[in-house]
Structure formats: C-alpha cells, structure tokens
Amino acid sequence: MRVLAITKDTFILRQVRLAQPLLNLRRQGLVADFWVTDPTLFDVPQDFVFNAVWVQKVDDAGLLEHLAERLEGRFLYDLDDNLLARAAYRGQDLVNREGVKLGVRLCGVLAVTSARLAALLERYAGVSLEGRVAVCPNGGEFQEGLRAPAPPRGLLFTSSDALALTSSAAPVLSAVGAFARRHRLPIYCFGWRPEALRAHWPDPVYLGLVPYWHYQALLASLPACVGIAPLETAADPETLDFINGKSDVKMVEFGGHGHPAVYSQAPPYADTDLAAGMLAPNTREAWEEALEEVLREGWRRSAEEQARVRQQRHMNRIARECWHPALARVRLPRPMRGARLKPARGLLGLAGSALRHLVYQQDYRAMKRLQARLPDWVRNLARRWY
C-alpha cells in the first residue's frame, strides 16, 4: 500500500494521528511508501504513485468534493473531535463546519477515536454512518522497559487547546493548587498557557509548546509525576457534546509513561478500555481526595497500569489492527499518480496555492490566531483560503 495523506495540521495532531501510525506501518512493512501534504496538494510530486488516500481534519469543501469525484468516495477521513459542535469555552474558531459535514458524508471510511465520537458525528451530520466507521484509538510509541513505581515528585499538565473547563474551573484548579502548595510539588505545564491557571497555581514551571516527539521524550525522562487531566462535566449540551467526543489520549500519555494521574469523571476517561489513575468528580473535595490518594498509595500501581496501557495502545498494535484495515477498505482499484489527483490551475490559481502552502508549512496556528481577530466578513473570506 502507498498512501497519500492530506492534513491541515502542522503540529500535535499531525504527529499523533498521522505521522506516528504511518511511520509505524512503514516499519512493519504494511505500507510501502507515503507522502504527507496539506490541502493545497501543492507539493505532491507529479509522479508519486499511491493507492490509498488519508484525509485528516480537512474542512475545505472544494477539496473534499474534488477527492470524492476523482476517487469515487474512496478516501479515509479522520476526525479526533466532534468538530460539528461548538464548545463555549473555545470562543471564536475558524472551523468550516459545513466542510467537515461534507467530509463525513462523502468519505468511504470515517476514522474516529471512539464509537462515542462516531455516534455524535452521525447525529450532528444527520447522516447514517452504518458500515463506514473505523475506530482507531490514539496510541503511542514507548521506550523499552517500564518505569519503576516511585513517589511523585511533581505534577504534569498538558493543554494543546483551550482549557476544557467552564463552571468547574475554579474548584478543580484550586484543588490542584492547594495540593501542590501543601506538598511543595512543582507543576510542569506543557502547551498553551490558559489564563485561568494564574489565579490558582503557584508559579507553574511553564515549558511551552514543545514539538510532539520532544514532549514524549520529556514524559519518559521526567521523574514520576501526578498527571492532571480535567474535562468539564457541567455545561450547555453542545459544549458537552464537544467535550464528550474527545479521546482518552491523556491516559495513553500519562499512563503509558508511568505517571499516575487524576482524570475528571467524564466520558472520555470513564468510557474507555483503559484503566489508569483515578477518576474524580469535578468538585474541590473530590479532586483533593483523589490527588492525596495518588500521592499516598496510587503511585504504587503505576507499573501495572503502564503495562496495561502499553498492551492496549502501543502503536505496533494500533497501526496493525486499526489503521491498516481502515486504509485497506479505501484502497483504490488501480494506483494513481499525483498529477492525476491535483486539480488543474491557471497561473493565478498556482500563485494562490503556493501562498496557502507556505502558510500551512510555516505556522498555520499563528495564522488562525490572527484571523480570529479579524472582522467577520474578512474571517468568512479567510475560511475559503485557509
């Protein structure tokens, strides 16, 4: 199998649910070659031969219609979130929901992180997905050997998006802050710096937006810490539909690297095949009690939990048993060359595609943040270009 992968992401998601499984499939000999590009298809070599197309989180309606026509609907469409729901805590975004809905409707196979997400997307898209869903949970690549259980020497918090808390922010964050102060434990923060943290956490060690593989290396090399993974459980129905469509990736990251953790008692962590750390309702008392239990006794189970997480979610298994069969279902009857898939463009179209390609390659997230500050009419125009 030779795969052409198309994604609009240039940071975390591209690595977690595209590069990582593709590299693993290549290593296992299940994929002969692959090429990863952005929605412009600008840099796809004219003579690159492929027989499977993997589309990740693309919301460009024109491109999706083009793929559906050229490939007769034979493409894999991957979503790791319920992008058809609006979450109040995320504020303005640039998701073209009609484009996402089109992708759900036109794809040959929809890859999702859970059956729960598939049901939400089916309801929001208003289309039956029977026979078209492939559940491909998030997995990881892990270093050899298990971390020996040890008392935690800090706390870990990761946020690759806006903080997924609304009414529960104060009780949960204050519980974590009080626990850290009481035991004089540092809080290591990766990713975005949510403003809500400032009022509750004592001088967190902010490590910023590190590249995905560097983040994995740090998870492996840091001393044992208590992972912090909150999700809102009391919000308006649409916000909850977005949150409930999230994955258990924090359990894979924290549990798979031997860090005991506390997770909100929310569907992504309660409705999963993984068992790691402790679940807590989003009250201050429940979170403090769970954190104290992890520090007192919970860390002693971390090696057993780590072994179970790795058995369930090692990328060797997820790539072979989930991603490969999903790709096989959309395999083209005949190989195709890049030149045949790329849309015909005039000189002006080529210039526009080149500009968009440069934006995707440099810093797509920065462009999104800039666009979010623009007037509505400019932002609507930007959706068509980016």
Side-chain angles (χ1 to χ4, degrees):
M1 202 177 310
R2 298 171 60 90
V3 180
L4 176 64
I6 306 168
T7 178
K8 65 186 290 185
D9 194 88
T10 58
F11 201 57
I12 299 295
L13 186 65
R14 178 178 182 143
Q15 301 301 323
V16 176
R17 289 186 65 79
L18 199 65
Q20 184 176 210
L22 276 171
L23 287 166
N24 191 286
L25 287 167
R26 177 77 177 270
R27 179 165 58 80
Q28 293 193 59
L30 298 171
V31 161
D33 199 6
F34 63 85
W35 186 275
V36 182
T37 187
D38 58 59
T40 67
L41 308 183
F42 185 79
D43 64 347
V44 179
Q46 297 286 91
D47 59 351
F48 178 70
V49 177
F50 59 91
N51 55 14
V53 175
W54 181 339
V55 183
Q56 181 191 71
K57 219 168 182 174
V58 169
D59 58 0
D60 184 324
L63 173 62
L64 291 164
E65 288 175 338
H66 173 75
L67 293 176
E69 178 185 356
R70 290 290 177 92
L71 306 174
E72 298 181 351
R74 287 179 176 266
F75 65 91
L76 178 72
Y77 191 54
D78 175 40
L79 291 176
D80 74 324
D81 276 324
N82 180 9
L83 294 183
L84 299 180
R86 296 176 185 270
Y89 68 88
R90 301 186 78 208
Q92 286 278 8
D93 62 44
L94 291 172
V95 175
N96 178 3
R97 289 179 175 78
E98 289 305 311
V100 174
K101 190 180 295 185
L102 195 64
V104 172
R105 289 177 173 173
L106 294 178
C107 68
V109 172
L110 176 67
V112 289
T113 55
S114 66
R116 181 181 61 258
L117 175 56
L120 287 165
L121 290 169
E122 185 174 56
R123 174 157 60 87
Y124 272 78
V127 61
S128 173
L129 295 175
E130 185 175 357
R132 291 199 294 130
V133 171
V135 176
C136 300
N138 284 319
E141 301 276 4
F142 304 105
Q143 77 280 14
E144 291 292 329
L146 300 177
R147 181 194 296 271
R153 292 165 52 188
L155 293 92
L156 283 174
F157 173 79
T158 303
S159 178
S160 59
D161 198 354
L163 182 67
L165 290 173
T166 54
S167 60
S168 300
V172 170
L173 297 180
S174 62
V176 174
F179 173 79
R181 286 191 294 270
R182 187 160 55 249
H183 296 284
R184 297 182 179 179
L185 295 173
I187 306 176
Y188 300 104
C189 296
F190 292 94
W192 302 111
R193 189 202 299 256
E195 288 298 316
L197 305 186
R198 297 179 185 275
H200 301 285
W201 290 4
D203 301 321
V205 182
Y206 180 66
L207 300 172
L209 280 164
V210 299
Y212 176 74
W213 294 110
H214 187 188
Y215 170 59
Q216 296 299 310
L218 288 169
L219 287 178
S221 62
L222 282 169
C225 292
V226 180
I228 306 300
L231 286 176
E232 187 56 73
T233 55
D236 64 273
E238 194 165 356
T239 295
L240 287 181
D241 280 346
F242 182 86
I243 291 173
N244 294 346
K246 285 184 168 292
S247 78
D248 54 9
V249 67
K250 294 294 191 301
M251 275 188 171
V252 177
E253 294 173 350
F254 293 150
H257 286 96
H259 298 288
V262 178
Y263 307 89
S264 289
Q265 198 166 31
Y269 301 131
D271 176 24
T272 173
D273 59 337
L274 300 180
M278 295 193 65
L279 301 183
N282 283 340
T283 66
R284 176 163 179 159
E285 295 74 18
W287 265 81
E288 288 209 48
E289 182 179 340
L291 289 164
E292 292 291 348
E293 172 58 23
V294 167
L295 185 62
R296 184 171 54 248
E297 292 290 336
W299 62 268
R300 301 179 189 276
R301 302 187 296 270
S302 60
E304 300 169 15
E305 294 174 350
Q306 186 179 14
R308 287 198 299 267
V309 169
R310 291 186 176 194
Q311 180 182 17
Q312 290 294 107
R313 298 297 183 82
H314 199 293
M315 190 49 63
N316 289 347
R317 177 173 181 265
I318 298 301
R320 182 181 64 252
E321 297 182 10
C322 301
W323 287 112
H324 186 255
L327 282 169
R329 289 165 62 184
V330 296
R331 186 166 182 161
L332 301 175
R334 292 174 301 280
M336 182 179 289
R337 292 186 178 274
R340 187 177 169 204
L341 185 67
K342 295 170 78 167
R345 299 184 178 103
L347 188 59
L348 187 59
L350 281 172
S353 293
L355 176 61
R356 293 173 61 205
H357 174 69
L358 288 173
V359 169
Y360 278 117
Q361 296 306 306
Q362 295 304 313
D363 193 348
Y364 175 63
R365 285 172 175 261
M367 182 60 70
K368 286 184 68 176
R369 290 194 296 273
L370 172 63
Q371 289 172 353
R373 299 188 181 97
L374 299 175
D376 286 345
W377 70 271
V378 178
R379 191 161 52 245
N380 290 334
L381 181 63
R383 285 195 184 100
R384 302 185 58 168
W385 281 79
Y386 299 105

